[in-house]
């Protein structure tokens, strides 16, 4: 009983805490991640994507780094920032986000197929070599 009276109404709150629906969704999500081996796929496809991006010759790229499918392409200061590259990628149908002004962040879904990465690579290559 002393524990139950520790918090009084209005003292503590949580948007999603203790929500049975949110807990069920989380459990189902974890089950899908395990059954579809999404972590393993992320590692495998991420290594492939990272390797392919690293091989793109570009005067703008300082470094390509990442883990799994979360990959950052750091641009040299002379590139003029990542925003214009992300806009150009969007115009070609590839979504990426600029971070820290000079990094293009790729974060594709865990269910991405290798064929989709292969489709995007020439488009990324074109954008990384624009003036």
């Amino acid at each position: 009983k002393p524990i139950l009276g520790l918090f009084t109404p209005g003292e503590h709150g949580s948007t999603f805490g203790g929500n049975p629906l949110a807990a069920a969704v989380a459990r189902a999500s974890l089950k899908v991640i395990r059954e579809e081996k999404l972590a393993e796929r992320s590692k495998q496809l991420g290594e492939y994507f990272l390797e392919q991006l690293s091989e793109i010759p570009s005067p703008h790229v300082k470094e390509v780094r990442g883990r799994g499918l979360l990959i950052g392409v750091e641009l040299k200061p002379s590139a003029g920032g990542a925003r214009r590259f992300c806009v150009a990628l969007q115009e070609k149908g590839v979504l990426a986000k600029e971070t820290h002004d000079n990094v293009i962040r790729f974060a594709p879904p865990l269910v991405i197929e290798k064929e989709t990465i292969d489709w995007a690579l020439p488009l990324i290559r074109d954008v990384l070599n624009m003036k």
Side-chain angles (χ1 to χ4, degrees):
K1 187 153 180 151
I3 293 173
L4 292 176
L6 188 60
F7 292 116
T8 60
E11 283 186 332
H12 179 71
S14 174
T15 303
F16 301 108
N19 180 328
L21 176 60
V25 169
R27 288 177 54 103
S29 298
L30 290 170
K31 183 177 179 184
V32 168
I33 290 168
R34 266 194 317 270
E35 288 178 355
E36 295 185 15
K37 297 183 177 8
L38 294 182
E40 292 86 349
R41 288 187 82 254
S42 174
K43 181 180 186 307
Q44 180 185 31
L45 289 174
E47 287 172 357
Y48 172 75
F49 195 15
L50 186 70
E51 177 185 304
Q52 295 299 309
L53 287 171
S54 297
E55 291 178 5
I56 294 175
S58 169
H60 303 300
V61 176
K62 178 179 177 183
E63 179 184 26
V64 180
R65 59 183 179 267
R67 185 168 188 167
L69 284 167
L70 185 59
I71 297 173
V73 177
E74 183 177 354
L75 303 175
K76 296 174 183 174
S78 59
R83 177 80 179 148
R84 68 187 188 101
F85 292 89
C86 291
V87 169
L89 285 167
Q90 180 182 3
E91 290 170 358
K92 293 179 177 286
V94 178
L95 296 180
K97 173 74 172 107
E98 79 280 355
T99 61
H100 304 288
D101 296 323
N102 63 340
V103 177
I104 302 168
R105 179 179 62 203
F106 293 98
L110 298 178
V111 295
I112 193 169
E113 297 291 336
K114 182 178 179 288
E115 293 76 21
T116 305
I117 294 171
D118 289 338
W119 167 83
L121 284 166
L123 304 173
I124 296 167
R125 183 178 299 109
D126 288 348
V127 167
L128 287 177
N129 282 293
M130 67 183 193
K131 302 263 187 253

